[in-house]
Amino acid sequence: MNDLVRQHTALGDTDLEWLHLLVSEWQLLSDLSFADLVLWVPTRDGTRYVSVAQMRPNTGPTSYQDDMVGHLVPRGRRPMLDAALDEGRIVREGDPEWREEVPVRVESIPVRREGRVLGVIARNTNLLTVRTPSRLELTYLQSASDLAQMIAAGAFPFPGQQVDMDASPRVGDGLIRLDADGVVQYASPNGLSAYHRLGLASDLVGHHLGSITAELAPSRGPVDEALVKMASGYAPREFEVECEGGVIQLRTIPLKPKGARIGSLVLLRDVTELRRRERELITKDATIREIHHRVKNNLQTVAALLRLQARRMDSVRGREALNEAVRRVGSIAIVHETLSQNLDERVEFDDIADRVIAMVAEISPGKVTCRRTGRFGILDAEVATPLAMVLTEILQNALEHAFTLAESGTVEVSAVRGGSSATGARLLITVQDDGCGLPEGFDPQRAGNLGLQIVRTLVEGELGGTFGMVPAPERGTQVVLDIPVRSAK
């Protein structure tokens, strides 16, 4: 709609915002009218109309099988559009039109904002299935007429009341019509069922909806007065009422077709099951985070026991082996600690990489600096856990074998995320040092070192990537990992 309005019309940003507000609400008018809606706006030169939005009803058959958005029609071809735009009134005169052997009643509703008519809504009703209307249909049509008059007067939609069409109750979910005093004139079967779910044993018609709602809701002292007022429909509001029987979501719409409030529409939906599932998800999320937290605590306990055992060992090699195990366990604990703070099983790996680098740097034999460049981005837990171990092993290997006690140097971890291929997005990780380099004849794919065996197994087996270790371009060693990852949404 933005593109069409800016390309063809002279409307400003505030006018466009009003049209957006109207379009966010007009599913309500379409469903109450059992009719298709098409929004026509005059072009900049005033010689044509452009259709910038369209809505089909959920309550009846459509009048338009084709998409009308973007169509241009010259002024004069549709006299009812001209009359509504020029005279600023709702136009209903004229015989039904025939479209593909279907009779269609056409009406035009001017869209007014601050005294100016911005465009016209063409309301098109399919008359093929017309029959004697029921009480529900009569209430729908009367409510649609009131809303149409409010649109023509610039009183609807309500400024500052942007509605989420997916989250708010719709006409078919349940509808209650109130008079000016808040007394129920009509309640649809779905609306009545929702109140029965809250514990109402009688009919709603003839009762004050605010008082009934306050009686059914748990007592909340002074708040009850506010609930009475909200449920009476004096102002546009959206709220929920919960009791032991269930939860209903209500939306109140004051009806002011001629300026003064003559009553209200209340749209309502039984959201008991939806809220129950939301609570289950919250509980499940909390349970998962607690599990990760406990796993992290247990891993830290294991690391502490291994560290204590290492201090008591006389064998230097045995002590080094236990210290390596401590760091391996610690890298997994870091991932679980991060997962315990998230709502899903995905983690920002840059923080994990920095903590792994800091942990491994503690064993640096000399003045070796470790740093990270680039971004790992967000990774799934099933990738983050083995990758943390792989990074630990590679850094540990570099610090232990690339430098002597007296040497200083640098170990740099570089990550490049992105790039799509036949196998999807990939993560390219390079760990490069400026140490003594690889021994002559060294083959990383055959080396018996436990750390390199762990790296090969995790990278090629669990992560489905590739691992390579080659001499660096100038000095030292370069380790390259190429891992497939799922792109973050």
Side-chain angles (χ1 to χ4, degrees), residues 410-488:
T410 301
V411 178
E412 180 176 309
V413 179
S414 173
V416 178
R417 178 75 176 265
S420 296
S421 66
T423 56
R426 307 192 72 81
L427 178 62
L428 185 66
I429 305 167
T430 304
V431 181
Q432 182 169 316
D433 65 69
D434 55 2
C436 62
L438 295 173
E440 186 175 350
F442 179 80
D443 184 358
Q445 300 299 329
R446 297 177 179 272
N449 179 292
L450 176 60
L452 291 181
Q453 289 182 15
I454 292 174
V455 170
R456 285 197 302 269
T457 301
L458 292 178
V459 171
E460 297 172 359
E462 194 160 339
L463 294 175
T466 59
F467 158 71
M469 179 180 285
V470 295
E474 296 182 1
R475 170 184 167 86
T477 304
Q478 186 181 78
V479 178
V480 180
L481 308 175
D482 187 357
I483 300 170
V485 293
R486 189 175 74 181
S487 296

Side-chain angles (χ1 to χ4, degrees), residues 1-23 39-46 48-53 85 110-121:
M1 185 166 70
N2 288 357
D3 294 340
L4 288 170
V5 168
R6 287 170 179 153
Q7 179 182 353
H8 295 285
T9 78
L11 298 182
D13 290 341
T14 53
D15 294 331
L16 179 57
E17 186 61 33
W18 182 262
L19 296 184
H20 274 294
L21 193 60
L22 172 66
V23 169
L39 178 57
W40 296 94
V41 179
T43 57
R44 191 174 288 106
D45 58 9
R48 295 181 297 176
Y49 297 95
V50 58
S51 58
V52 298
L85 182 69
V111 177
R112 192 184 303 272
R113 174 181 175 268
E114 296 181 352
R116 295 166 48 242
V117 177
L118 307 182
V120 179
I121 295 175

Side-chain angles (χ1 to χ4, degrees), residues 222-378:
V223 182
D224 286 346
E225 184 176 347
L227 181 59
V228 170
K229 198 167 186 65
M230 284 193 296
S232 299
Y234 290 102
R237 292 287 186 272
E238 192 164 332
F239 58 97
E240 289 186 2
V241 177
E242 181 173 2
C243 65
E244 292 183 2
V247 185
I248 61 172
Q249 181 184 18
L250 298 97
R251 183 190 174 201
T252 57
I253 303 169
L255 297 175
K256 303 176 182 180
K258 296 181 180 179
R261 193 175 70 86
I262 63 167
S264 304
L265 275 183
V266 180
L267 304 180
L268 64 159
R269 177 172 58 179
D270 184 348
V271 292
T272 305
E273 189 65 19
L274 180 62
R275 296 296 176 259
R276 183 187 66 80
R277 291 180 181 179
E278 286 178 352
R279 284 192 286 268
E280 285 182 353
L281 287 174
I282 291 172
T283 302
K284 186 180 294 184
D285 287 340
T287 302
I288 291 172
R289 287 199 297 272
E290 178 62 21
I291 290 172
H292 284 303
H293 182 69
R294 293 189 181 187
V295 170
K296 182 264 297 184
N297 287 344
N298 290 339
L299 289 172
Q300 288 181 337
T301 301
V302 171
L305 292 173
L306 291 173
R307 193 177 295 110
L308 182 63
Q309 185 66 39
R311 290 172 183 166
R312 293 173 175 268
M313 290 199 68
D314 296 329
S315 169
V316 175
R317 293 189 62 185
R319 192 182 310 119
E320 290 177 351
L322 286 177
N323 284 331
E324 288 181 2
V326 168
R327 286 186 286 276
R328 288 166 183 148
V329 172
S331 65
I332 302 175
I334 290 173
V335 176
H336 282 282
E337 181 179 4
T338 305
L339 288 169
S340 70
Q341 300 167 3
N342 291 348
L343 293 176
D344 55 19
E345 291 292 290
R346 312 195 76 192
V347 295
E348 177 62 63
F349 196 80
D350 294 311
D351 178 60
I352 293 175
D354 291 339
R355 295 175 63 182
V356 167
I357 290 171
M359 177 184 68
V360 178
E362 295 177 358
I363 67 167
S364 173
K367 299 178 180 180
V368 179
T369 301
C370 297
R371 62 170 180 260
R372 172 180 65 86
T373 60
R375 292 192 69 251
F376 288 86
I378 297 174

